[in-house]
Amino acid sequence: ANGRVDLGHGSGGRAMADLVSGIFREAFANPFLDQGNDQAAFPTPRGGRMVMTTDGYVVSPLFFPGGDIGSLAVHGTVNDIAMSGARPLHLSASYIVEEGFPLADLKRIADSMGRAARAAGVTIVTGDTKVVERGKADGLFISTAGIGELPDGLDLSGDRAEPGDVVVLSGSIGDHGVAIMSSRENLEFETAILSDSAALNGLVEAMVAAAGPHLKLMRDPTRGGLAATLNELAHQSGVGFRIEEAAIPVKPEVAAACELLGLDPLNVANEGKLVAVVSPAGADALLAAMRAHPLGAEAAAIGTVVADDQQFVQMTTGFGGGRIVDWLSGEQLPRIC
Amino acid sequence: ANGRVDLGHGSGGRAMADLVSGIFREAFANPFLDQGNDQAAFPTPRGGRMVMTTDGYVVSPLFFPGGDIGSLAVHGTVNDIAMSGARPLHLSASYIVEEGFPLADLKRIADSMGRAARAAGVTIVTGDTKVVERGKADGLFISTAGIGELPDGLDLSGDRAEPGDVVVLSGSIGDHGVAIMSSRENLEFETAILSDSAALNGLVEAMVAAAGPHLKLMRDPTRGGLAATLNELAHQSGVGFRIEEAAIPVKPEVAAACELLGLDPLNVANEGKLVAVVSPAGADALLAAMRAHPLGAEAAAIGTVVADDQQFVQMTTGFGGGRIVDWLSGEQLPRIC
Ligand SMILES: Nc1ncnc2c1ncn2[C@@H]1O[C@H](COP(=O)(O)OP(=O)(O)OP(=O)(O)O)[C@@H](O)[C@H]1O
Ligand SMILES: Nc1ncnc2c1ncn2[C@@H]1O[C@H](COP(=O)(O)OP(=O)(O)OP(=O)(O)O)[C@@H](O)[C@H]1O
Ligand SMILES: [Mg+2]
Ligand SMILES: [Mg+2]
Ligand SMILES: [Mg+2]
Ligand SMILES: [Mg+2]
Ligand SMILES: [Mg+2]
Ligand SMILES: [Mg+2]
């Protein structure tokens, strides 16, 4: 990339992973960051453990079908906390605003953020507001950080997938990214495509209760989509995945939009879905609990973990064929979140 | 402001305070945010209390005499934690990068951030990287959040200043803002002006140990400078301040640069200074402890808290004259931090 940051570095793919490990992990050098999960777990002074996470939001447009940058910022941070099994507690909000931004939009976004936080049971306890000159930002960027309380005895981590484990997906993929792209390209479909942006902490609570120690890890397939998430997990656990295309829920309208936009739903970001890896003994109970929750109604077992030195994600396609699902295939989708 | 955000909304003055209370406090509605301090304190599940804080950094230029955006982001967040008396523990780092940004600069900034964190005794446990298209940001913005552990029995808060209390300043004012402005305007002085950017948690530890319950509150006079901080505190505590111009340390080269730039040092941001309010019985011990620490060597009592329904900050000037120090006087200084 010629010694410069390019859009691929922000796409959730291999270029980003290399940037994080080559620059940030080395510079910040500590075992918490090296856990390599979407959140860091650490012991708290009085006993017990907490987690911390952060995300920047640069989504364009700021308002999109199914949400806005404010609700998205809450959902994304709540979800990265929840993927560890922790109970989300408090969030921070850093606003970077471009000069000239309409105060009415700022209020609408802050109100939406507050509503999303209340609905998810978290409080935004601290914030910051910076203004940069016209042309030096793009309306509004929000960075949230969040902390949560980790129950004793839970040890979910991306390095825990083992051959034989079952891979579960909570619902249809591609909704968020396609909603953003469609609204950006001004596409209209018969069935409106809404972002799936949602707080998953309630679903996670039900999953932990149902599967107990059988649950090995959870991750939300955001930037880079399901493909990036499975490749990340394969890498982190030193395993391969074998998934069934037919088992992966994709809404017909999302499939149609992907066709039109030249996207593969496997690479498209989600903001209200999760992937879980569970030992076979816990899979049925987990799926039942997920399906009983509104945000997991279409939960499906989509494949298994396999031994694979090359850490490939292999997918069985329609007529018994197969292909390798790489995390760099498909278009780069900047500003999706 | 015509229904739009302007640079004044980010200046640390009254416009920003109105924006925060009119939009954000109302939207996020919770007692933690309503504390109105630079950090929020909350009880932790296992007992004890923690604090959380966040800041966005949009400083321009990214590298300046005495620091860079990376070290500044660590110092600023460590200091907002420390102002509560809490021990800073962990930080998060959200990077928003403009396409085309040099990887070598990114590495230099991350390395500086890591060094600053290690020096301050905190770990950067989690991060995020987003890339926006060329022209949609200005090189790099960083948002950090941080958490700290609050010792039992400490209750420092901006609403605790009472008439008779002594106001202490840890050292000279204006260094950071003038260093940025000088480097932005390409000014050269005989004595180079360096930012005072520094982590104050060590100094704070010594202050808490020395003054105990006599210490009422601390705050770092960042955006808006000493003038904004005292006005904020006056408002929060419902008191006035009477300060002595002659007692406020200003480096001669900073005074000269302010003259040239048309700035009042009272309105210029600092990033390694603090204001403390202490009851008279604890003032001497506090000052002695501060002066024994390298970052408090020039600590001075600069005035007292007075009863004042109008919550004015009054300053006695050179020849027995006086004036009201408002938080909106002086120029707006965008992108100072
Ligand atoms: N966008 C926001 N949302 C919620 N609260 C905010 C927001 N911006 C500022 N605040 C709150 O306003 C108060 C003052 O924040 P401010 O940023 O001025 O403090 P600071 O971080 O100490 O100063 P600086 O940012 O100059 O370092 C804090 O209580 C902060 O939580
Ligand atoms: N600038 C950074 N500094 C330090 N660590 C980083 C940085 N960017 C990313 N990371 C780390 O890389 C890992 C992956 O981060 P990533 O942002 O991809 O996860 P995510 O937040 O779950 O995904 P998304 O941002 O798409 O929601 C995490 O461990 C994160 O802490
Ligand atoms: Mg995330
Ligand atoms: Mg995630
Ligand atoms: Mg701030
Ligand atoms: Mg601050
Ligand atoms: Mg502060
Ligand atoms: Mg992230």
Side-chain angles (χ1 to χ4, degrees), chain A residues 95 126-130, chain B residues 16 20 24-25 28 33 36-38 55 80 222-223:
Chain A
Y95 276 64
T126 187
D128 184 63
T129 310
K130 295 288 185 295
Chain B
M16 197 176 82
V20 168
F24 297 112
R25 289 232 176 95
F28 303 161
L33 187 59
N37 292 323
D38 293 0
D55 263 325
D80 277 336
T222 51
R223 281 182 291 172

Side-chain angles (χ1 to χ4, degrees), chain B residues 51-93:
Chain B
V51 300
M52 186 171 191
T53 191
T54 192
D55 263 325
Y57 294 88
V58 300
V59 65
S60 171
L62 296 171
F63 300 94
F64 51 81
D68 57 65
I69 189 173
S71 54
L72 183 67
V74 170
H75 295 156
T77 292
V78 163
N79 292 348
D80 277 336
I81 296 169
M83 293 305 105
S84 68
R87 187 169 65 91
L89 296 171
H90 300 307
L91 264 49
S92 63

Side-chain angles (χ1 to χ4, degrees), chain B residues 247-262:
Chain B
I248 300 171
V250 183
K251 290 185 177 138
E253 60 271 26
V254 170
C258 277
E259 199 64 59
L260 207 73
L261 292 160

Side-chain angles (χ1 to χ4, degrees), chain A residues 88-176:
Chain A
L89 296 171
H90 300 307
L91 264 49
S92 64
S94 160
Y95 276 64
I96 296 175
V97 195
E98 185 187 4
E99 181 186 11
F101 192 73
L103 285 166
D105 286 352
L106 194 66
K107 183 167 163 44
R108 213 176 127 201
I109 288 163
D111 285 344
S112 164
M113 199 167 180
R115 261 194 315 276
R118 281 187 292 277
V122 295
T123 43
I124 302 169
V125 297
T126 187
D128 184 63
T129 310
K130 295 288 185 295
V131 182
V132 298
E133 306 90 333
R134 216 177 280 266
K136 301 296 187 185
D138 193 18
L140 174 65
F141 303 140
I142 299 177
S143 290
T144 42
I147 56 171
E149 183 201 3
L150 207 42
D152 285 338
L154 257 194
D155 178 31
L156 307 178
S157 177
D159 58 6
R160 291 198 52 215
E162 287 170 293
D165 287 344
V166 177
V167 182
V168 169
L169 177 65
S170 67
S172 64
I173 59 167
D175 302 20
H176 175 74

Side-chain angles (χ1 to χ4, degrees), chain A residues 5 55 100 128-129 133 335, chain B residues 5 55 100 128-129 133 223 335:
Chain A
V5 173
D55 263 326
D128 184 63
T129 310
E133 306 90 333
R335 313 284 300 276
Chain B
V5 172
D55 263 325
D128 184 64
T129 310
E133 307 90 333
R223 281 182 291 172
R335 313 283 300 275

